[in-house]
PDB file of all heavy atoms in Angstrom:
ATOM      1  N   CYS U 340     -20.630   2.771 -14.306  1.00 98.00           N
ATOM      2  CA  CYS U 340     -20.173   2.077 -13.091  1.00 98.00           C
ATOM      3  C   CYS U 340     -21.286   1.182 -12.553  1.00 98.00           C
ATOM      4  O   CYS U 340     -22.460   1.543 -12.571  1.00 98.00           O
ATOM      5  CB  CYS U 340     -19.755   3.098 -12.038  1.00 98.00           C
ATOM      6  SG  CYS U 340     -19.205   2.352 -10.489  1.00 98.00           S
ATOM      7  N   CYS U 342     -21.291  -0.051  -9.357  1.00 98.00           N
ATOM      8  CA  CYS U 342     -21.227  -0.140  -7.893  1.00 98.00           C
ATOM      9  C   CYS U 342     -22.594   0.128  -7.278  1.00 98.00           C
ATOM     10  O   CYS U 342     -23.527   0.558  -7.958  1.00 98.00           O
ATOM     11  CB  CYS U 342     -20.190   0.845  -7.343  1.00 98.00           C
ATOM     12  SG  CYS U 342     -20.811   2.508  -7.092  1.00 98.00           S
ATOM     13  N   CYS U 345     -23.870   3.758  -7.759  1.00 98.00           N
ATOM     14  CA  CYS U 345     -24.292   4.132  -9.117  1.00 98.00           C
ATOM     15  C   CYS U 345     -25.508   3.348  -9.589  1.00 98.00           C
ATOM     16  O   CYS U 345     -26.317   3.852 -10.358  1.00 98.00           O
ATOM     17  CB  CYS U 345     -23.138   3.937 -10.094  1.00 98.00           C
ATOM     18  SG  CYS U 345     -21.796   5.096  -9.797  1.00 98.00           S
ATOM     19  N   HIS U 371     -17.844   3.547  -4.342  1.00 98.00           N
ATOM     20  CA  HIS U 371     -17.752   3.996  -5.738  1.00 98.00           C
ATOM     21  C   HIS U 371     -16.299   4.230  -6.155  1.00 98.00           C
ATOM     22  O   HIS U 371     -15.861   3.738  -7.195  1.00 98.00           O
ATOM     23  CB  HIS U 371     -18.579   5.262  -5.978  1.00 98.00           C
ATOM     24  CG  HIS U 371     -18.272   5.849  -7.310  1.00 98.00           C
ATOM     25  ND1 HIS U 371     -18.771   5.313  -8.478  1.00 98.00           N
ATOM     26  CD2 HIS U 371     -17.427   6.856  -7.680  1.00 98.00           C
ATOM     27  CE1 HIS U 371     -18.253   5.984  -9.505  1.00 98.00           C
ATOM     28  NE2 HIS U 371     -17.445   6.917  -9.043  1.00 98.00           N
TER      29      HIS U 371
HETATM   30 ZN1   ZN K 403     -20.136   3.750  -8.891  1.00 55.93          ZN
END
Side-chain angles (χ1 to χ4, degrees):
C340 179
C342 85
C345 292
H371 169 77

